[in-house]
């Protein structure tokens, strides 16, 4: 079914139809969200989970970890997510996985895989690849899947898709959020997604620990090259002192990116005896290239990787050396 929503699509639209055919033929479907799942990955998977549930199709939504972002607990079927692989599934669908590694485990080669993603780095590792780097979010691609197939978007699926688009566009503020995105958002709101309800659930249920942790992280701010490069850290002791979760300090990176002179910023967090790195840039520097040096990836302006050391200062120096090359 061709309509307004399809005009700017980069995906071969037959793939949406093929994906639905494969779903209809399958007996048990595994919906896979990526390692360190974010609202785009989970929202996209839960939108399809609600569709499958409404159509009585057996499935599970999987993540390799049981540590999920609890701010998404208001989405229908969030509580059904599992880190236990079912004994049997005859179709897998991955959401927002820029590389095969982001699934977090190896699928049996004989299991067909549908790959929904919007990372430029995507290696088209699926049997059906619904991949478009020009989309703001994977949730936009899942929206297109519904619309091309003339499928009903229930209130529950609409909320999940809204959350994915909202978060991956940094609240509708990134360049890839365009008029098509807003048309979709309008449709999702008409379908029952309530922006104020959702924003309150996402943003206004913080822990106190977050507000004990963020000042420590901001205090670590160091500027280089006349402030064009900024770095912050979060060390093990601060997590122990405050009881904060790794996710509780994510906002600190957005905050320092809001400093006028800062062009590129990175954040090194101690997590599970390793250093988790988040990189952001405002303009010309492709941070996914820097992340890929450390076996990570992401997008032009937002990327991440993990460095196998528990020494935050060591990881910071490794990162700084790579970032500084862009200002040599
Ligand atoms: P984060 O800094 O964790 O918010 O991640 C920013 C972006 O980079 C997201 O789009 C992630 O999908 C991507 N990303 C983060 N870590 C990795 C990784 N280890 N490998 C590939 N992509 C990543
Ligand atoms: Mn993601
Ligand atoms: Mn995404």
């Amino acid at each position: 079914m061709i309509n307004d929503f399809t005009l700017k699509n980069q995906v071969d639209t037959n793939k949406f139809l093929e994906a639905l055919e494969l779903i209809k033929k399958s007996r048990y479907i595994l919906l896979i969200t990526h390692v360190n799942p974010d609202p785009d990955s989970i929202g996209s998977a839960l939108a399809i989970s609600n569709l499958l549930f409404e159509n009585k199709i057996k499935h599970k939504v999987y993540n390799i970890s049981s540590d999920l972002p609890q701010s998404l607990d208001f989405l229908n079927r969030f509580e059904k997510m599992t880190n236990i692989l079912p004994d049997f599934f005859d179709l897998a669908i991955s959401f927002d996985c820029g590389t095969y590694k982001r699934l977090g485990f190896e699928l049996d080669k004989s299991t067909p895989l549908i790959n929904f993603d919007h990372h430029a780095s995507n290696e088209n590792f699926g049997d059906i690849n619904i991949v478009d780097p020009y989309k703001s979010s994977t949730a936009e691609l899942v929206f297109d899947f519904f619309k091309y197939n003339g499928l009903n978007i229930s209130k529950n699926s609409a909320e999940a898709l809204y959350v994915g688009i909202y978060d991956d566009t940094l609240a509708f503020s990134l360049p890839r959020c365009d008029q098509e995105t807003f048309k979709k958002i309008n449709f999702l709101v008409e379908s029952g997604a309530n922006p104020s309800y959702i924003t309150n659930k996402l943003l206004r249920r913080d822990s106190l620990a977050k507000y004990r942790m963020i000042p420590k992280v901001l205090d670590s701010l160091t500027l280089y090259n006349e402030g064009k490069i900024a770095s912050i850290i979060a060390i093990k002791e601060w997590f122990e002192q405050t009881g904060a979760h790794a996710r509780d300090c994510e906002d600190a990176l957005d905050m320092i990116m809001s400093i006028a002179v800062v062009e590129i910023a990175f954040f090194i967090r101690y997590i599970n005896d390793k250093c988790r790195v988040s990189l952001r840039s405002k303009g010309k520097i492709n941070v996914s290239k820097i992340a890929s040096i450390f076996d990570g990836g992401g997008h032009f302006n937002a990327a991440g990787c993990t460095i196998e050391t528990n020494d935050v200062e060591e990881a910071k120096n490794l990162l700084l050396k790579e970032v500084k090359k862009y200002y040599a």
Side-chain angles (χ1 to χ4, degrees):
M1 188 203 290
I2 304 299
N3 56 38
D4 264 13
F5 294 104
T6 63
L7 291 175
K8 283 200 181 159
N9 226 299
Q10 307 287 314
V11 175
D12 167 6
T13 51
N14 282 325
K15 294 190 179 170
F16 291 115
L17 313 178
E18 283 170 30
L20 183 62
E21 280 316 305
L22 197 48
I23 288 171
K24 281 183 180 166
K25 275 200 320 219
S26 302
R27 284 157 57 205
Y28 199 108
I29 303 175
L30 187 70
L31 308 179
I32 304 164
T33 54
H34 65 63
V35 175
N36 295 318
D38 60 1
D40 190 27
S41 189
I42 292 180
S44 297
L46 288 180
I48 297 290
S49 171
N50 278 288
L51 171 78
L52 299 182
F53 179 73
E54 288 150 18
N55 288 280
K56 302 188 171 56
I57 297 173
K58 287 203 179 104
H59 70 283
K60 277 274 181 309
V61 184
Y62 173 84
N63 188 270
I64 189 165
S65 164
S66 57
D67 180 19
L68 302 173
Q70 292 304 311
S71 59
L72 302 181
D73 65 357
F74 67 98
L75 293 177
N76 200 47
R77 302 188 62 74
F78 175 86
E79 73 289 353
K80 307 269 186 216
M81 285 184 69
T82 178
N83 63 345
I84 300 166
L85 283 172
D87 292 337
F88 170 82
F89 53 94
D90 53 0
L91 172 63
I93 312 180
S94 63
F95 296 91
D96 204 41
C97 297
T99 58
Y100 186 73
K101 241 178 100 181
R102 298 280 282 163
L103 273 66
F105 70 106
E106 297 257 341
L107 280 167
D108 192 307
K109 294 266 180 298
S110 62
T111 310
L113 172 63
I114 302 172
N115 163 21
F116 276 99
D117 186 41
H118 71 129
H119 289 86
S121 61
N122 197 290
E123 303 140 337
N124 289 324
F125 49 76
D127 297 278
I128 299 178
N129 298 292
I130 299 181
V131 175
D132 181 357
Y134 294 99
K135 288 288 180 295
S136 74
S137 51
T138 296
E140 270 207 52
L141 281 166
V142 173
F143 180 98
D144 291 342
F145 167 81
F146 275 89
K147 295 308 291 182
Y148 267 95
N149 284 305
L151 298 165
N152 175 53
I153 303 185
S154 66
K155 176 173 181 282
N156 289 333
S157 291
E159 282 184 341
L161 293 177
Y162 184 103
V163 162
I165 298 174
Y166 174 91
D167 191 78
D168 250 32
T169 59
L170 295 186
F172 315 120
S173 71
L174 292 186
R176 279 181 307 174
C177 178
D178 58 14
Q179 51 181 316
E180 298 302 309
T181 314
F182 281 105
K183 276 189 205 163
K184 288 172 189 170
I185 285 293
N186 186 55
F187 190 91
L188 294 174
V189 173
E190 283 176 353
S191 305
N194 178 332
S196 132
Y197 167 81
I198 292 174
T199 312
N200 279 319
K201 289 286 188 193
L202 289 177
L203 302 185
R204 320 232 194 280
R205 294 189 295 157
D206 288 340
S207 68
L208 178 59
K210 170 174 172 173
Y211 293 86
R212 301 274 187 245
M213 185 67 179
I214 289 221
K216 294 180 191 293
V217 173
L218 291 178
D219 201 36
S220 75
L221 172 65
T222 319
L223 298 170
Y224 306 88
N225 294 54
E226 295 90 42
K228 293 188 183 100
I229 305 172
S231 82
I232 48 175
I233 57 169
I235 61 173
K236 186 180 179 188
E237 288 72 27
W238 302 343
F239 285 114
E240 286 167 358
Q241 286 161 14
T242 60
H245 186 282
R247 281 188 200 99
D248 286 333
C249 38
E250 272 168 2
D251 290 354
L253 186 55
D254 292 335
M255 288 178 190
I256 65 163
M257 275 307 283
S258 301
I259 302 171
V261 291
V262 172
E263 292 177 358
I264 180 166
F266 62 91
F267 185 12
I268 319 259
R269 277 175 287 174
Y270 169 93
I271 300 173
N272 296 335
D273 259 358
K274 290 179 188 157
C275 286
R276 164 95 201 125
V277 180
S278 289
L279 286 141
R280 302 288 183 268
S281 87
K282 269 179 194 152
K284 292 157 250 153
I285 299 175
N286 181 354
V287 285
S288 77
K289 271 194 169 171
I290 300 174
S292 68
I293 296 168
F294 302 98
D295 207 22
H299 303 289
F300 196 98
N301 293 131
C305 58
T306 297
I307 297 183
E308 302 277 335
T309 172
N310 59 11
D311 183 343
V312 171
E313 283 302 325
E314 184 192 337
K316 180 176 154 175
N317 288 331
L318 287 171
L319 247 292
L320 194 57
K321 200 169 144 222
E322 294 305 325
V323 172
K324 281 201 161 193
K325 286 183 184 168
Y326 286 82
Y327 292 91

